[in-house]
Amino acid sequence: MLVLALLFASLSALQPGSVAPAHAQEIRTQPQEEQQATAAELVQEIIDDAGDNEGLKSRYQRLVTNPISPPDTRSPRATLESFLVIMQAANKLWLGVRDEFFANDDFFISPDDKEQLVLVQSLLGKAAQTMDLSGVPAASRERFSIETVLQLQEVFDRIYLPPLDDVPGFPAGSNARTNDLDAPLPDRWIIPGTSLTIALMKEGPQSGQYLFTAATVDEIPDDYEALQSLPIIADKGEDLYQYYIYTPGNLVAPQWYQYVLNGPDWLQSTFGGQAYWQWIALALTVIVLMLALAFYTRWNNRRAVPLDPAARQSRRLAPPILIILAANLFHYLCEEQINITGELLQMLTTVISAIVWTTAAWLTYQVLQTIYLWTIRNPAVNNASLDASLVRTGFRVASFMVAIVVLGYGATRIGIPIYGVVAGLGVGGLAIALAAQPTLENFISGLILYADRIVRVGDFFQFSDTAGTVEEIGIRSTRIRALDRTLIIVANAELVKHKITNYSQRDVFLFRHKVGVRYETDSETLHKVRDGIHAALEAHESVLESPLRVRLVEYGDFAILFDIYANISATDINAFLEVQEELLIAIREVIEGNGASFAFPSSTVYLSRDQLPEQKTVDIVENKSDEERPNGAPEEKAYPVDET
């Protein structure tokens, strides 16, 4: 009700005999070409026309007291009247709160005054609903709209407006309909003597409403700059737009602003749409925040890194959170305390919004990765299983997609037409698809590996000349740990194209060996060895009943060979090797227990004396001394001689 008192009482609403109604009556009796009025006089005329019409008065009351009641924009006249009435009520309430605050000399605004300022902001936002702000980025739309409505109000306070009867359409809040008019409403109406245009919106969410056009919204700051040096003719008030942009705080300057006023006069000088003290405060704020972030970065780099992967990932959440908090704090100080306005505020808001939404996408990705790491800590999930790999890949893809969605929404908030960009991808989609073909091929191949379960994490397999154990199946590539512990990374597309032998997917393992015993083993022992090995295989629980055979198959070069053939049921290669080891030891025990022994490569050399053929002899007479010869006769000996 305070708003009603300010609006109707301050304008001598519904008071017969007041000066303003008489002046309004005088305007209506002037010749058509001379009829003109100030904005304040038009508001008084609107209230005077309501008269004793309680229904119309109640609709005007709802217009300025109900925060969710939209302005009447059914015709150019209704739009203009709604703007004038709302702004008149907002200005009166705003100045009343401000003057009361400084009169009481309180350091903080009282809760009641805060509620009134909230209502003032609501009224200013409602006045902005008479404008087409579709071309303004959503991130800076609220502050821009307040500045624009204040500028338009100051423009109206410095020019004469046509009488309401000359504005096409029916009054704001009336029950009249379009078909009640003598002439159809025009699609657009221009305020005489200006280029300010109110036009019918034919598409979009505001279709069917008469609003100040987007071109007019762009033109309002230039019109204000051209007219601000002119005197205010609407009332004896002050330039509220100047007060709004050059004082700190939100609508009402805080008490500490008095120190700025008491300082040097040059602090109040302006440059680039801001006072000097605002530039100094902005620079100090930037320096303090940068020093704080640098101090945190240096401190964080000196901290010990946790060994637990989940703890390390949780620590990665701190930087994006701090960046978002710092950006919002900086925006609050600039907008609510230092009160940066105009194009500089729009630029800062755009940059801050870009930082916040980019960091929010980063934070979203890190949060989902943290959830993943804490999920796989569940003892029910085996880190080396296919389920863990699926969870890992699924969370990575989901994290990336959600982060892209957050980033796209943030782009729309700062005015980037993300939907147009997406639509434009249809034109260049072919080129992008060709450029991204390897990546898409690897991604789809990874899905094939998961869907067909060709290999799983932990499987031992072989492809081409490479063999190893699968450690991870990622979005683009698969990591394989070779037998020599070398890490091999293969693109998913390449892996799918090759012939893959997956040893870990076998339901049974073949046990086939040839055992050789010495040739000295007799036949009876051979039968015992064969039957003993067969019995040892049958007795083992992991050996399948069929096929199972132990046969003497060959007399080899150095051994009598037994062929042992059986199938072993095992879950993986390690279990098979364990069973195989047990069976090989049992076979050795059977052979040695039956008195036989293993043969090993050897050669046997047989030596024998053969009878030599009959040989001829010749007599050779050796000369000896007389002492050595009996009777002095020569000695004779016979030697074999080869016939050849």
Side-chain angles (χ1 to χ4, degrees):
M1 300 305 295
L2 178 60
V3 179
L4 293 178
L6 289 172
L7 177 63
F8 290 98
S10 64
L11 295 177
S12 302
L14 305 177
Q15 296 294 329
S18 62
V19 176
H23 181 62
Q25 181 66 27
E26 179 183 354
I27 292 177
R28 292 199 272 298
T29 58
Q30 291 177 355
Q32 182 69 24
E33 62 274 13
E34 297 179 2
Q35 290 182 359
Q36 55 184 2
T38 64
E41 291 170 343
L42 288 183
V43 174
Q44 182 62 55
E45 182 180 347
I46 293 170
I47 298 175
D48 183 63
D49 288 343
D52 296 330
N53 189 335
E54 296 297 331
L56 190 57
K57 286 172 56 180
S58 65
R59 283 189 285 275
Y60 282 134
Q61 292 174 3
R62 287 196 302 270
L63 193 63
V64 297
T65 58
N66 187 356
I68 63 174
S69 176
D72 190 350
T73 56
R74 295 175 297 167
S75 68
R77 176 174 177 175
T79 299
L80 181 61
E81 288 186 359
S82 296
F83 179 85
L84 294 175
V85 170
I86 292 172
M87 289 302 298
Q88 188 75 8
N91 292 343
K92 295 296 181 182
L93 183 59
W94 180 7
L95 294 176
V97 173
R98 186 196 66 175
D99 295 342
E100 181 181 359
F101 172 66
F102 283 101
N104 295 334
D105 200 22
D106 295 330
F107 191 80
F108 296 104
I109 299 178
S110 65
D112 292 339
D113 288 343
K114 287 183 178 180
E115 292 181 1
Q116 299 304 318
L117 290 180
V118 170
L119 182 56
V120 171
Q121 285 186 317
S122 175
L123 290 173
L124 295 177
K126 186 181 296 188
Q129 295 181 25
T130 62
M131 301 179 178
D132 180 12
L133 300 174
S134 58
V136 181
S140 58
R141 185 174 298 168
E142 180 179 358
R143 191 59 179 263
F144 177 83
S145 64
I146 293 177
E147 296 180 15
T148 304
V149 297
L150 290 176
Q151 288 175 328
L152 182 59
Q153 176 65 38
E154 294 303 323
V155 169
F156 284 161
D157 285 346
R158 289 168 170 79
I159 64 174
Y160 288 98
L161 298 174
L164 295 177
D165 291 340
D166 291 347
V167 183
F170 32 78
S174 68
N175 293 325
R177 295 171 295 181
T178 305
N179 52 15
D180 295 336
L181 299 173
D182 296 335
L185 291 174
D187 289 341
R188 59 178 52 238
W189 177 74
I190 302 176
I191 297 178
T194 71
S195 59
L196 303 176
T197 304
I198 300 176
L200 176 65
M201 300 292 104
K202 297 184 178 181
E203 58 183 15
Q206 296 175 311
S207 176
Q209 301 183 36
Y210 281 88
L211 305 177
F212 288 97
T213 62
T216 298
V217 172
D218 294 337
E219 184 185 352
I220 288 174
D222 295 334
D223 290 346
Y224 170 77
E225 291 295 331
L227 296 175
Q228 66 172 333
S229 59
L230 298 180
I232 298 176
I233 62 174
D235 51 33
K236 296 181 180 180
E238 60 182 297
D239 190 330
L240 291 180
Y241 174 71
Q242 292 287 326
Y243 175 80
Y244 178 75
I245 64 173
Y246 292 130
T247 56
N250 187 10
L251 297 179
V252 175
Q255 291 291 352
W256 60 261
Y257 181 58
Q258 191 64 37
Y259 296 104
V260 178
L261 295 177
N262 295 335
D265 294 338
W266 60 267
L267 289 176
Q268 302 298 323
S269 301
T270 61
F271 172 77
Q274 315 297 323
Y276 282 179
W277 72 265
Q278 290 176 310
W279 286 109
I280 295 174
L282 177 61
L284 291 176
T285 303
V286 172
I287 292 173
V288 170
L289 287 178
M290 295 300 293
L291 289 176
L293 289 176
F295 175 78
Y296 168 79
T297 302
R298 186 174 181 181
W299 171 78
N300 187 55
N301 292 336
R302 292 183 175 182
R303 289 197 297 170
V305 178
L307 298 178
D308 185 12
R312 290 199 303 270
Q313 179 61 37
S314 299
R315 182 177 289 186
R316 294 190 182 103
L317 300 178
I321 292 176
L322 290 178
I323 292 176
I324 292 175
L325 292 177
N328 282 282
L329 176 61
F330 179 72
H331 186 262
Y332 167 78
L333 293 175
C334 290
E335 184 173 356
E336 301 294 336
Q337 296 301 317
I338 306 175
N339 198 28
I340 301 298
T341 57
E343 294 182 357
L344 179 60
L345 177 63
Q346 293 186 42
M347 183 186 69
L348 290 176
T349 301
T350 301
V351 173
I352 293 172
S353 297
I355 294 174
V356 168
W357 286 108
T358 302
T359 310
W362 174 25
L363 177 61
T364 302
Y365 181 85
Q366 297 295 345
V367 167
L368 292 177
Q369 289 299 299
T370 303
I371 295 174
Y372 152 70
L373 286 177
W374 285 100
T375 300
I376 64 172
R377 290 171 64 94
N378 189 340
V381 180
N382 183 6
N383 291 340
S385 66
L386 177 65
D387 293 337
S389 182
L390 283 173
V391 171
R392 182 187 303 111
T393 303
F395 263 98
R396 285 181 179 176
V397 174
S399 302
F400 181 75
M401 296 303 296
V402 173
I404 289 296
V405 171
V406 172
L407 192 62
Y409 178 76
T412 61
R413 297 289 298 175
I414 62 177
I416 299 177
I418 188 64
Y419 300 110
V421 172
V422 173
L425 290 178
V427 179
L430 181 59
I432 295 176
L434 292 175
Q437 182 179 0
T439 302
L440 293 176
E441 185 179 6
N442 288 323
F443 176 72
I444 295 174
S445 298
L447 297 179
I448 293 174
L449 290 175
Y450 281 121
D452 290 349
R453 300 194 171 211
I454 299 174
V455 290
R456 303 181 183 183
V457 175
D459 284 357
F460 180 80
F461 76 108
Q462 180 177 359
F463 72 99
S464 297
D465 57 348
T466 303
T469 302
V470 179
E471 286 194 347
E472 179 184 350
I473 301 176
I475 299 175
R476 194 198 69 84
S477 61
T478 298
R479 297 174 181 266
I480 303 167
R481 184 70 64 177
L483 296 176
D484 60 355
R485 302 302 299 165
T486 303
L487 183 61
I488 303 173
I489 301 175
V490 183
N492 292 332
E494 292 296 323
L495 186 60
V496 171
K497 294 176 182 178
H498 283 83
K499 176 184 176 181
I500 296 176
T501 303
N502 193 333
Y503 296 102
S504 299
Q505 295 295 326
R506 292 184 296 185
D507 53 351
V508 294
F509 290 78
L510 177 63
F511 179 84
R512 188 170 191 179
H513 294 274
K514 285 187 177 183
V515 178
V517 297
R518 296 173 62 90
Y519 269 100
E520 288 81 358
T521 308
D522 55 48
S523 299
E524 182 180 356
T525 302
L526 292 176
H527 284 88
K528 290 180 180 180
V529 170
R530 181 198 64 192
D531 296 338
I533 294 175
H534 195 283
L537 294 176
E538 285 184 330
H540 201 287
E541 60 182 4
S542 298
V543 179
L544 301 180
E545 295 180 359
S546 178
L548 174 59
R549 67 173 180 264
V550 181
R551 293 296 178 187
L552 191 152
V553 295
E554 184 181 354
Y555 289 103
D557 293 337
F558 54 85
I560 301 174
L561 298 177
F562 288 95
D563 183 33
I564 305 171
Y565 187 95
N567 279 340
I568 297 175
S569 175
T571 56
D572 54 38
I573 187 66
N574 293 323
F576 163 71
L577 293 176
E578 181 180 356
V579 174
Q580 179 177 253
E581 179 185 272
E582 296 174 356
L583 293 177
L584 291 176
I585 294 175
I587 292 171
R588 183 182 185 91
E589 293 174 351
V590 169
I591 293 175
E592 294 177 348
N594 287 282
S597 61
F598 289 101
F600 51 87
S602 61
S603 299
T604 302
V605 179
Y606 295 92
L607 300 177
S608 63
R609 286 182 177 272
D610 297 334
Q611 186 175 1
L612 295 175
E614 189 175 343
Q615 295 178 328
K616 293 183 178 183
T617 63
V618 294
D619 293 334
I620 299 176
V621 178
E622 296 183 357
N623 293 323
K624 292 188 178 180
S625 65
D626 294 342
E627 296 178 355
E628 293 176 352
R629 293 195 304 270
N631 301 321
E635 182 180 3
E636 297 181 1
K637 289 186 179 180
Y639 290 90
V641 178
D642 193 344
E643 293 182 349
T644 62

